[in-house]
Amino acid sequence: LQTNQMCFCGLNPMLFQLDASQNIVKFIELGTFPENMNLKKNYMNQLPQITNTEYMSPENYQFLMNPDPKTEIDPYKSEAFALGLIMLELATLKQLKFKDNLDVYKNELKSHFDLLEDIYFYEIVQTPEYTQQFHLFEEILSKLLRIEIKERWNFTEALENCAAQNGKKNRIFF
């Protein structure tokens, strides 16, 4: 979608499906997109239509609460944040609620990363392969979930960095 300048504008867990037979998570809601597929140039106009703010990036949430036509948002970094939240929730099986206070939100993110570490160290059989994949997953999440948008990866940056680290083109994790 990013390559074609398109945005979903409202990622949430209901848009994904686990395919246990292939051990992959699929994005399943492309059929509900309007014909223009939420082109990047329309992103700011579409934000007020989003009713689910739980997976919204901090900058999108702030814009929604206080719309300012001068605000510029990188929709791919904002959607990468939403995807990071969904991935962290899937990994920890614990929902992370957006908070108006960014300091509280940062602490909440940190507690989820601590939980992720605990799950890995106490629940997963530790082999060199899993250890490498876990640390890559954790690094990707930390880059997708940066509060400061300038420090956050978009989808293309995440894919390129993952491919470089694990040597598998167009695959993020395995």
Side-chain angles (χ1 to χ4, degrees), residues 94-152:
K94 183 178 177 190
Q95 191 173 17
L96 189 138
K97 299 278 189 184
F98 183 81
K99 308 286 188 229
D100 291 332
N101 181 321
L102 285 181
D103 290 329
V104 172
Y105 196 56
K106 287 177 187 177
N107 288 336
E108 188 78 10
L109 280 171
K110 184 185 177 319
S111 74
H112 273 68
F113 273 98
D114 291 345
L115 177 59
L116 187 62
E117 286 273 340
D118 289 346
I119 290 169
Y120 171 73
F121 285 112
Y122 298 111
E123 303 293 331
I124 297 174
V125 176
Q126 295 176 21
T127 66
E129 179 185 354
Y130 283 142
T131 299
Q132 179 185 7
Q133 293 297 330
F134 172 78
H135 290 300
L136 179 59
F137 178 70
E138 188 177 44
E139 179 183 346
I140 293 164
L141 280 182
S142 74
K143 300 285 177 142
L144 295 178
L145 291 172
R146 298 289 166 101
I147 298 294
E148 292 295 323
I149 196 165
K150 292 176 185 172
E151 298 174 7
R152 190 180 314 146

Side-chain angles (χ1 to χ4, degrees), residues 9-73:
C9 196
L11 289 175
N12 66 69
M14 300 302 289
L15 305 174
F16 296 88
Q17 174 184 15
L18 174 63
D19 183 338
S21 67
Q22 295 181 17
N23 201 23
I24 58 173
V25 176
K26 296 179 179 180
F27 186 58
I28 60 170
E29 285 296 319
L30 288 174
T32 63
F33 274 14
E35 283 189 29
N36 71 355
M37 296 271 300
N38 296 323
L39 297 174
K40 181 182 176 184
K41 64 184 177 183
N42 298 327
Y43 190 79
M44 299 297 279
N45 295 332
Q46 294 170 28
L47 276 179
Q49 299 171 27
I50 298 175
T51 55
N52 182 353
T53 59
E54 291 177 26
Y55 300 93
M56 194 175 270
S57 67
E59 64 275 5
N60 283 1
Y61 186 78
Q62 287 175 335
F63 177 78
L64 191 63
M65 296 298 114
N66 298 304
D68 180 356
K70 297 176 188 165
T71 303
E72 290 190 33
I73 293 176

Side-chain angles (χ1 to χ4, degrees), residues 77-93:
K77 289 187 176 190
S78 294
E79 293 205 338
F81 187 91
L83 181 63
L85 286 179
I86 293 164
M87 291 167 45
L88 186 59
E89 185 175 303
L90 286 170
T92 61
L93 299 178

